[in-house]
Amino acid sequence: MYIFDAHSDIWMKSVEERRLGDMTYFMDTHFPKLQEGKISGGIFVVYTRTDKKVDPVRYLWREIGGVMEEIRDLRKKDAPIDFVKSYREIEAAIKAGRFFAVMGIEGLSGIEGDIEQINTLYDLGFRHASLTWNEENHLAAGAAVESGSKGITLLGEKAIKLMDDLGMILDVSHLNERSFWDVTEIWKKPMIASHSNSKAILPHRRNITDEQAIAISKSGGVIGVNACGEFLHRSKPHINCYLDNIEHFVNVAGLEAVGIGFDFCDFLRSGSLGSDEKISKGVEGLEDVRNGGAVLEGLKSRGYSGTDIEKIAHGNFLRVIKELIY
């Protein structure tokens, strides 16, 4: 049994370490943790900072440059990881026993409204994107924006349609609620919320309502449950809170609509995300990627069958990927 992690920010740390002189951080430090945590694939994102301390355009393309350098180096060393652009390549990686990574973009503020750059991102191998982080940009309004005030812009609608034409995965995590519902009117394929939790359990701006969860399910999409403590419990996040979110979404949206999107931030230095959101505290029993197997064991202890656990662990997300980027 293996896990597909629908949201990993590890490139931020890996690129930072590379610039500090550690050229083997990912394979020497992080990859063994992935293996220990039973994670065999995932969506690895390049995050776009949007705070006032940085230019989001320069930041995004600088980070992409660092990631591409990392990927070239890993390929030269024949590291056991494939950077996949289609479901067929995922199938080949699984058959060969290799780790596989779908490359994604967390927030498109870095294209500054030039949606033609989405074509460039696609040509570089990116197959996933979210329109915003928490901010408002040229395309949409994020979770930090009052839900009733602003949503998807006309340019954002064009960006969504371009992603549809290219064959990409649209991620609705980090959108405010109005933007989310706007997306449902434009995007007619399965959508994902790669790392979102239940607002019914904890009313945090980054969590989603039951109605949103149902809409994702009706699209044929999947919700990846998030392991950041601030989205799980106000004071004492525990692995049971994580399992509670999985069970809640299963009950509300159905088993086929639930997956894993850990969003671990334990490796990020303070301030990495900018000024408007702090690095979350660890979750007891689910402190980092090495504890992935504890989620599988927790589901088993709650009475889930092996077949059901397999769907949550990786099957549901791979089903959506097969439909969107075959």
Side-chain angles (χ1 to χ4, degrees), residues 68 70-79 81 83 85:
M68 301 312 290
E70 177 90 357
I71 290 173
R72 286 194 298 271
D73 194 33
L74 289 169
R75 284 173 172 161
K76 286 179 182 178
K77 296 175 180 176
D78 196 25
I81 173 170
F83 297 92
K85 301 174 185 176

Side-chain angles (χ1 to χ4, degrees), residues 250-292:
V250 167
N251 292 332
V252 167
L255 181 74
E256 305 285 337
V258 186
I260 290 172
F262 281 132
D263 193 22
F264 284 120
C265 297
D266 57 289
F267 46 76
L268 298 182
R269 58 182 171 79
S270 178
S272 294
L273 300 181
S275 60
D276 63 339
E277 190 158 308
K278 64 183 182 300
I279 301 295
S280 62
K281 294 181 179 179
V283 177
E284 185 179 348
L286 192 55
E287 289 82 3
D288 62 35
V289 73
R290 291 173 292 185
N291 300 118

Side-chain angles (χ1 to χ4, degrees), residues 6 170-173 191-196 208 216 222-225 317:
L170 178 61
D171 191 342
V172 298
S173 284
M191 67 182 78
I192 71 166
S194 65
H195 57 304
S196 292
I208 63 174
I216 292 168
V222 184
I223 306 151
V225 176
F317 269 117

Side-chain angles (χ1 to χ4, degrees), residues 11-263:
W11 290 139
M12 292 177 67
K13 176 65 173 177
S14 186
V15 170
E16 178 185 50
E17 291 298 322
R18 174 173 285 269
R19 289 178 181 139
L20 293 173
D22 184 352
M23 312 301 280
T24 61
Y25 170 82
F26 179 79
M27 289 306 301
D28 289 352
T29 302
H30 195 70
F31 192 68
K33 293 181 180 180
L34 288 168
Q35 292 179 307
E36 185 176 345
K38 299 185 182 300
I39 296 170
S40 294
I43 298 175
F44 282 32
V45 298
V46 176
Y47 161 75
T48 305
R49 275 185 66 173
T50 57
D51 57 289
K52 295 179 180 179
K53 295 180 181 180
V54 299
D55 175 349
V57 178
R58 291 183 64 186
Y59 184 88
L60 173 64
W61 291 102
R62 181 172 180 263
E63 291 302 292
I64 287 176
V67 169
M68 301 312 290
E69 181 183 357
E70 177 90 357
I71 290 173
R72 286 194 298 271
D73 194 33
L74 289 169
R75 284 173 172 161
K76 286 179 182 178
K77 296 175 180 176
D78 196 25
I81 173 170
D82 289 341
F83 297 92
V84 296
K85 301 174 185 176
S86 68
Y87 180 76
R88 284 168 289 184
E89 292 183 2
I90 290 175
E91 284 186 310
I94 293 171
K95 186 176 181 180
R98 294 170 64 84
F99 189 94
F100 59 93
V102 179
M103 296 304 298
I105 299 289
E106 185 175 20
L108 285 171
S109 284
I111 69 171
E112 209 170 42
D114 180 6
I115 64 170
E116 293 301 321
Q117 291 188 40
I118 296 174
N119 288 307
T120 302
L121 293 170
Y122 183 89
D123 289 342
L124 288 172
F126 291 89
R127 293 294 182 268
H128 157 284
S130 58
L131 300 176
T132 72
W133 190 56
N134 287 330
E135 80 289 353
E136 176 190 353
N137 61 23
H138 294 82
L139 308 178
V145 181
E146 186 68 28
S147 287
S149 58
K150 296 180 180 179
I152 301 296
T153 67
L154 289 176
L155 194 61
E157 182 173 352
K158 291 180 180 178
I160 291 169
K161 290 178 178 177
L162 176 56
M163 289 178 62
D164 185 0
D165 290 342
L166 289 171
M168 295 181 69
I169 301 162
L170 178 61
D171 191 342
V172 298
S173 284
H174 280 291
L175 291 179
N176 73 358
E177 194 168 344
R178 179 173 168 182
S179 290
F180 174 90
W181 291 113
D182 286 348
V183 167
T184 65
E185 295 298 318
I186 304 165
W187 184 265
K188 300 306 179 183
K189 294 178 179 178
M191 67 182 78
I192 71 166
S194 65
H195 57 304
S196 292
N197 290 347
S198 170
K199 191 167 282 188
I201 292 178
L202 182 67
H204 191 285
R205 68 184 187 180
R206 270 283 288 110
N207 292 346
I208 63 174
T209 66
D210 288 354
E211 291 76 18
Q212 288 175 291
I214 292 168
I216 292 168
S217 177
K218 286 182 176 179
S219 80
V222 184
I223 306 151
V225 176
N226 193 320
C228 279
E230 67 217 67
F231 309 144
L232 289 169
H233 195 277
R234 285 191 175 90
S235 59
K236 295 181 179 180
H238 188 277
I239 189 173
N240 284 330
C241 304
Y242 188 87
L243 296 169
D244 289 345
N245 272 265
I246 289 179
E247 288 209 277
H248 180 82
F249 283 138
V250 167
N251 292 332
V252 167
L255 181 74
E256 305 285 337
V258 186
I260 290 172
F262 281 132
D263 193 22

